[in-house]
């Protein structure tokens, strides 16, 4: 395939919500001839003023560029837009930055291949104002050749651009894994803020200490990851039994202060299972064995 990134690759962006507008704007700032399409044409006005060309239809939009970036509400919307195009997609690289599941990504890749299109699935770990900056983390998965062909153009969207592998589902899987981490951190902070709030301590006072605690846990991750990959969990600092005792303190404090105790009670339920499975003397990384089980699985 010709290396379009030897010059400024023409790009089409389909879907002009807040994120789609940010994507198109980043391509324009990087010098890429940019065609845009959205069902509501008014959303393209600012981009057109910046130099984008508004296509009259999805078919016209796709025909305009070898690289087509889609960012819409969900995969159903992706299919409604792309399926009628059929052979128009032949020979083009379609990059789907719509949030979804790994199964949806793989199914869409199969369909795109039948149309003669090369498909990359992607995940954006950033808010719209960060697009085009060093703060934007964007993940891609699918054929390496397609990523290499358009890597320069795709890096216009964010300096932290990462190719994960040939499996189209990897971007979605990484996306939800990070989302789960985010919610866990936020919920832990909210639990702590509620506890301290019951004693008259405001959340702003707690936040700096919480940030230090999160940083300490972040420093543990590389070591825990190595134990998980090795399948061995030596307790180098504290055991799961020790963590279990601290969880009981958190539950008792929550109940005593009239604060919701469901989150720490859930932590303890998982930890009880790990102890029952013989991991009480292991490091906390051994809890991975509980997360690997289906919901409601036995110890």
């Amino acid at each position: 395939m010709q290396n379009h990134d030897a010059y400024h690759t023409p790009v089409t962006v389909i879907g002009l919500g807040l994120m789609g507008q940010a994507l198109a704007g980043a391509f324009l700032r990087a010098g890429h001839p940019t065609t845009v399409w959205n069902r509501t044409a008014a959303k393209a006005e600012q981009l057109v003023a910046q130099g984008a060309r508004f296509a009259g239809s999805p078919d016209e939009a796709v025909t305009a560029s070898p690289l087509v970036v889609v960012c819409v509400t969900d995969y159903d919307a992706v299919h409604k837009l792309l399926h009628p195009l059929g052979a128009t997609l032949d020979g083009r690289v379609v990059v789907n930055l719509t949030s979804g599941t790994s199964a949806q990504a793989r199914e869409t890749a199969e369909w795109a291949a039948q149309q003669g299109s090369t498909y990359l699935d992607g995940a954006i770990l950033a808010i719209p104002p960060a697009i085009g900056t060093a703060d934007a983390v964007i993940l891609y998965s699918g054929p390496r050749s397609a990523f290499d062909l358009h890597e320069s153009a795709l890096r216009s969207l964010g300096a932290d651009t990462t190719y994960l592998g040939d499996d189209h589902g990897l971007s979605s899987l990484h996306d939800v894994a990070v989302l789960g981490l985010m919610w866990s951190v936020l919920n832990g902070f909210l639990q702590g803020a509620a506890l301290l709030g019951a004693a008259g301590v405001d959340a702003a006072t707690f936040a700096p200490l919480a940030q230090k605690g999160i940083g300490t846990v972040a420093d543990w991750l590389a070591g825990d990851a190595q134990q998980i990959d090795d399948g061995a969990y030596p307790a180098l600092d504290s055991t799961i039994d020790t963590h279990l005792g601290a969880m009981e303190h958190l539950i008792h404090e929550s109940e005593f202060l009239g604060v919701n105790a469901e989150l720490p009670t859930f932590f303890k339920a998982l930890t009880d299972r790990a102890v029952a499975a013989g991991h009480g003397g292991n490091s906390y990384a051994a809890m991975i064995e509980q997360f690997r089980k289906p919901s409601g699985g036995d110890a």
Side-chain angles (χ1 to χ4, degrees):
M1 290 193 288
Q2 179 183 359
N3 184 358
H4 291 288
D5 282 336
Y7 59 96
H8 291 303
T9 311
V11 181
T12 287
V13 177
I14 294 179
L16 298 177
L18 292 177
M19 185 61 77
Q21 291 181 45
L23 297 172
F27 282 129
L28 285 168
R29 290 192 298 275
H32 294 275
T34 304
T35 300
V36 297
W37 183 86
N38 192 75
R39 195 175 304 277
T40 304
K43 291 187 176 181
E45 290 177 355
Q46 185 174 354
L47 292 166
V48 171
Q50 296 170 13
R53 184 176 77 86
F54 184 73
S57 67
D59 187 88
E60 181 184 338
V62 168
T63 302
S65 310
L67 176 61
V68 179
V69 177
V70 182
C71 185
V72 291
T73 307
D74 52 33
Y75 272 77
D76 287 342
V78 172
H79 296 159
K80 287 178 182 177
L81 285 168
L82 297 186
H83 279 209
L85 303 182
T88 305
L89 296 168
D90 188 18
R92 289 174 168 76
V93 173
V94 174
V95 179
N96 184 20
L97 295 178
T98 302
S99 296
T101 68
S102 58
Q104 288 174 317
R106 294 177 186 122
E107 291 166 1
T108 304
E110 290 180 7
W111 175 85
Q114 293 170 3
Q115 316 312 310
S117 173
T118 305
Y119 180 81
L120 287 173
D121 204 79
I124 302 172
L125 306 182
I127 58 176
I131 297 301
T133 75
D135 294 330
V137 178
I138 306 181
L139 311 175
Y140 297 94
S141 53
R144 179 86 210 203
S145 58
F147 177 79
D148 288 346
L149 180 67
H150 291 298
E151 180 178 359
S152 178
L154 295 175
R155 287 194 181 279
S156 301
L157 303 180
D160 195 343
T161 294
T162 301
Y163 173 75
L164 299 172
D166 290 334
D167 180 355
H168 291 90
L170 287 175
S171 294
S172 294
L173 284 174
H174 280 71
D175 186 27
V176 294
V178 171
L179 287 172
L181 178 64
M182 176 188 73
W183 292 322
S184 296
V185 170
L186 288 173
N187 285 334
F189 170 71
L190 295 174
Q191 174 81 31
L195 276 172
L196 290 170
V201 179
D202 56 25
T205 300
F206 174 47
L209 180 60
Q211 288 177 308
K212 290 180 181 178
I214 292 168
T216 297
V217 173
D219 289 341
W220 297 343
L221 297 184
D224 285 355
Q226 189 61 59
Q227 288 194 359
I228 291 167
D229 291 342
D230 291 344
Y233 314 108
L236 303 178
D237 43 29
S238 61
T239 65
I240 286 180
D241 283 333
T242 301
H243 283 282
L244 184 60
M247 289 174 188
E248 291 172 350
H249 298 159
L250 176 55
I251 293 169
H252 293 156
E253 283 282 18
S254 299
E255 292 173 343
F256 176 75
L257 293 171
V259 170
N260 190 304
E262 290 175 281
L263 186 63
T265 298
F266 172 67
F267 294 159
K268 183 177 180 298
L270 284 177
T271 309
D272 284 336
R273 292 179 201 167
V275 172
H279 292 294
N282 292 142
S283 76
Y284 200 80
M287 290 291 296
I288 187 68
E289 304 298 342
Q290 300 308 308
F291 286 96
R292 284 172 171 160
K293 299 176 185 291
S295 298
D298 294 332

